[in-house]
Structure formats: C-alpha cells, structure tokens
Amino acid sequence: MIDITFYGVRGSTPCACDATARYGGNTSCVLVRVDGQDPIILDLGTGARYLGERLSKELGDQPFVGTALVSHLHWDHIQGLPFFSPLMREGASLQIVGPPQASGSLRAAVQAFVSPPLFPVDLGEIPATVDFVEQSNTTFALGAVTITSAEVAHCGVTNGYRIQNGSGSLAYLSDHQAPLDGSLGVPDSVIELCHGVDVLIHDAQYDLDEFDRKASWGHSTIDYAVAVAAASDVGRLVLFHHDPTHDDAWIDDAVAHARELADGRFEVLAAAEGLSLRSGDDQPV
Ligand SMILES: [Zn+2]
Ligand SMILES: [Zn+2]
C-alpha cells in the first residue's frame, strides 16, 4: 500500500485565512508512506513545517531519515525546508532529489536561498545531513518503490514524478504548463509518466478565463488536468496547486466542473490539508 497525506496544497504563495480554511493555505508538500520504508516527501513548500512537527513527534528520540522529491526550486516548493524541524538534530538525514540546474549544482541553488541575507542561517549550519541528488528523466529504486522522474513543461526546469510498487502507484505533476493555445493535447512523455496510476496529483491552478490572461505562467487549467487524467487512464485525479486567490467555494465549484468533464471515467477530488488517500483504495481514508 502507498499512503498519501497532504500538508500543503497551494501554489505560488501561502494564503492562510478564513476563506481558505477548508482546503488549506500552505504551499506544496505531500507525505508518501510505504510500509517498512523511510518517508518520501513530495516538495518542501510551507506545509513541510507541519509535516516536520508530526514526524518529530512520531520519531521521539530517533533521528529522521528520508527523501524529498522536489519538483523544482520555485519558492512555493522549497520554502519549508529550513522550517522542517526533524533537520534540527544531529544524526538526521534528508536526501533531496531534484532537477539539475542550469546555474550550477542543485545544492548551490538551494543554498543561495537558505543563507544570509535571504535566511538567517546557512544550509551548512543545519545539524542534519542534507544530501542532493540531481535527477531528470531517469528511473531509480528507493527501497521497495520505483521512482521515475521526467522533465515536464513549466517555467524553468521541473520534474514530474511517478512512484510505484507492487500494490500501488501515483504520479505528481504539481506545476505543469498546459498548451499555450488552450488545446488539450497531452505529450507522450506525460502520458508515459502518468499511465494507469491509481492517483494523479496534478496542477489545476486556473479556470479558462484565468488561463486566457495567464497562459504562459506555467500552469494548467482544470480542463487540462482532466485531459491529462483521461489520456493517462488514471484511477483518481486530485486537483492540486490551488491558486492563492481561490477560496474554498471556488475550489468546490472546480471539483464539480472537473467531475462533469470526467463523466465517471475516474474519480475527482481536490487536495486539502490533512486529506489522506491510500493508493488502490476507492475512498479517502
Ligand atoms: Zn508552484
Ligand atoms: Zn513553479
């Protein structure tokens, strides 16, 4: 079984307020758990602070060991890293997998963000060991699961990920540029990454009017998220990377719209902080 729990579901910037209380205001961070295996974290947005609190409680005196699969380095996907409390103890270790950077190493790019003057503490001063692995368009084993990384269209180099074992599968495309002309064609590389997964977590930041104004901003419409799910024959689509200007009622309407488009071919729901899913099951747990 693969268990999936959402700790941050927003795109762009956090937006905690009453109007977003139900779906949540933290940026991208998803915990993936497989029995007998160290945690896998999808992105390190501001939700990572809350995930860190939970894991620290669970671990007690044990140091944290785990892997973060980072889609790309926009703020909303790494801002939680220095607030992830399990890293504040000696003996802990986090492996960060992410796409190679044109500007230099992945470590150097993250360190530029986690160091003065942008942050008071340098990444190198954090007590835990933080290792970086640059990966794109590869498949590798992590314990009992197979992970595939594939570059997807966005603003700047960005990975989508597929996680699979004998009992379940999911694909994670947090930030994904839909075709600029508003068409719904899905690249073969995306279909290959997502094909047949139990759970597809996909960018659904805009409606059609918003996309008209922001087509080149790197994101998908709800309609395009449905198109990717349909072309990839997935079991369940989870709308993700909600725009910070969208309140809970807007997202309710987006889910209703996506369900209409899906027309019963697969289940549709919206990511919400605290929501847990089990890959392969019919209902949220
Ligand atoms: Zn983003
Ligand atoms: Zn982005």
PDB file of all heavy atoms in Angstrom, residues 11-12 72 76-77 154 175 219 241, ligand 1:
ATOM      1  N   GLY A  11      -0.472  26.732  -4.658  1.00  0.00           N
ATOM      2  CA  GLY A  11       0.618  27.169  -5.498  1.00  0.00           C
ATOM      3  C   GLY A  11       0.993  28.593  -5.176  1.00  0.00           C
ATOM      4  O   GLY A  11       0.252  29.316  -4.504  1.00  0.00           O
ATOM      5  N   SER A  12       2.177  28.970  -5.585  1.00  0.00           N
ATOM      6  CA  SER A  12       2.639  30.358  -5.654  1.00  0.00           C
ATOM      7  C   SER A  12       3.035  30.968  -4.306  1.00  0.00           C
ATOM      8  O   SER A  12       4.175  31.340  -4.110  1.00  0.00           O
ATOM      9  CB  SER A  12       1.621  31.264  -6.358  1.00  0.00           C
ATOM     10  OG  SER A  12       1.240  30.687  -7.597  1.00  0.00           O
ATOM     11  N   HIS A  72      10.812  21.375  -8.447  1.00  0.00           N
ATOM     12  CA  HIS A  72      11.633  22.482  -8.938  1.00  0.00           C
ATOM     13  C   HIS A  72      11.843  23.441  -7.778  1.00  0.00           C
ATOM     14  O   HIS A  72      11.328  23.202  -6.674  1.00  0.00           O
ATOM     15  CB  HIS A  72      10.994  23.139 -10.152  1.00  0.00           C
ATOM     16  CG  HIS A  72       9.657  23.784  -9.904  1.00  0.00           C
ATOM     17  ND1 HIS A  72       8.616  23.144  -9.276  1.00  0.00           N
ATOM     18  CD2 HIS A  72       9.192  25.026 -10.196  1.00  0.00           C
ATOM     19  CE1 HIS A  72       7.573  23.958  -9.207  1.00  0.00           C
ATOM     20  NE2 HIS A  72       7.907  25.103  -9.745  1.00  0.00           N
ATOM     21  N   ASP A  76       7.532  28.315  -3.652  1.00  0.00           N
ATOM     22  CA  ASP A  76       6.414  27.562  -3.070  1.00  0.00           C
ATOM     23  C   ASP A  76       6.707  26.071  -2.944  1.00  0.00           C
ATOM     24  O   ASP A  76       5.903  25.335  -2.372  1.00  0.00           O
ATOM     25  CB  ASP A  76       5.108  27.791  -3.863  1.00  0.00           C
ATOM     26  CG  ASP A  76       5.251  27.629  -5.362  1.00  0.00           C
ATOM     27  OD1 ASP A  76       6.301  28.016  -5.912  1.00  0.00           O
ATOM     28  OD2 ASP A  76       4.310  27.114  -5.997  1.00  0.00           O
ATOM     29  N   HIS A  77       7.893  25.647  -3.431  1.00  0.00           N
ATOM     30  CA  HIS A  77       8.239  24.221  -3.358  1.00  0.00           C
ATOM     31  C   HIS A  77       9.439  23.935  -2.458  1.00  0.00           C
ATOM     32  O   HIS A  77       9.770  22.766  -2.227  1.00  0.00           O
ATOM     33  CB  HIS A  77       8.458  23.671  -4.780  1.00  0.00           C
ATOM     34  CG  HIS A  77       7.220  23.810  -5.605  1.00  0.00           C
ATOM     35  ND1 HIS A  77       6.309  22.784  -5.776  1.00  0.00           N
ATOM     36  CD2 HIS A  77       6.686  24.890  -6.242  1.00  0.00           C
ATOM     37  CE1 HIS A  77       5.285  23.234  -6.488  1.00  0.00           C
ATOM     38  NE2 HIS A  77       5.496  24.509  -6.783  1.00  0.00           N
ATOM     39  N   HIS A 154       7.122  23.740 -17.727  1.00  0.00           N
ATOM     40  CA  HIS A 154       6.799  24.738 -16.700  1.00  0.00           C
ATOM     41  C   HIS A 154       7.733  25.917 -16.946  1.00  0.00           C
ATOM     42  O   HIS A 154       8.443  25.941 -17.953  1.00  0.00           O
ATOM     43  CB  HIS A 154       6.974  24.126 -15.297  1.00  0.00           C
ATOM     44  CG  HIS A 154       6.564  25.046 -14.173  1.00  0.00           C
ATOM     45  ND1 HIS A 154       5.362  25.711 -14.152  1.00  0.00           N
ATOM     46  CD2 HIS A 154       7.207  25.414 -13.028  1.00  0.00           C
ATOM     47  CE1 HIS A 154       5.289  26.432 -13.045  1.00  0.00           C
ATOM     48  NE2 HIS A 154       6.394  26.275 -12.345  1.00  0.00           N
ATOM     49  N   ASP A 175       3.323  21.410 -10.952  1.00  0.00           N
ATOM     50  CA  ASP A 175       3.335  22.605 -11.799  1.00  0.00           C
ATOM     51  C   ASP A 175       3.536  22.128 -13.225  1.00  0.00           C
ATOM     52  O   ASP A 175       4.572  21.547 -13.543  1.00  0.00           O
ATOM     53  CB  ASP A 175       4.485  23.540 -11.417  1.00  0.00           C
ATOM     54  CG  ASP A 175       4.350  24.109 -10.021  1.00  0.00           C
ATOM     55  OD1 ASP A 175       4.065  23.326  -9.096  1.00  0.00           O
ATOM     56  OD2 ASP A 175       4.537  25.325  -9.860  1.00  0.00           O
ATOM     57  N   HIS A 219       1.169  27.040 -15.821  1.00  0.00           N
ATOM     58  CA  HIS A 219       0.210  26.174 -15.115  1.00  0.00           C
ATOM     59  C   HIS A 219      -0.879  25.605 -16.021  1.00  0.00           C
ATOM     60  O   HIS A 219      -0.955  25.905 -17.201  1.00  0.00           O
ATOM     61  CB  HIS A 219      -0.389  26.938 -13.926  1.00  0.00           C
ATOM     62  CG  HIS A 219       0.654  27.287 -12.922  1.00  0.00           C
ATOM     63  ND1 HIS A 219       1.261  26.333 -12.155  1.00  0.00           N
ATOM     64  CD2 HIS A 219       1.256  28.471 -12.633  1.00  0.00           C
ATOM     65  CE1 HIS A 219       2.188  26.911 -11.406  1.00  0.00           C
ATOM     66  NE2 HIS A 219       2.213  28.195 -11.675  1.00  0.00           N
ATOM     67  N   HIS A 241      -2.251  22.391  -6.315  1.00  0.00           N
ATOM     68  CA  HIS A 241      -1.602  23.678  -6.616  1.00  0.00           C
ATOM     69  C   HIS A 241      -2.678  24.745  -6.828  1.00  0.00           C
ATOM     70  O   HIS A 241      -2.668  25.498  -7.805  1.00  0.00           O
ATOM     71  CB  HIS A 241      -0.693  23.539  -7.856  1.00  0.00           C
ATOM     72  CG  HIS A 241       0.452  24.513  -7.890  1.00  0.00           C
ATOM     73  ND1 HIS A 241       0.361  25.748  -8.475  1.00  0.00           N
ATOM     74  CD2 HIS A 241       1.723  24.425  -7.435  1.00  0.00           C
ATOM     75  CE1 HIS A 241       1.529  26.383  -8.382  1.00  0.00           C
ATOM     76  NE2 HIS A 241       2.377  25.598  -7.745  1.00  0.00           N
TER      77      HIS A 241
HETATM   78 ZN    ZN B   1       4.405  26.027  -7.767  1.00  0.00          ZN
END
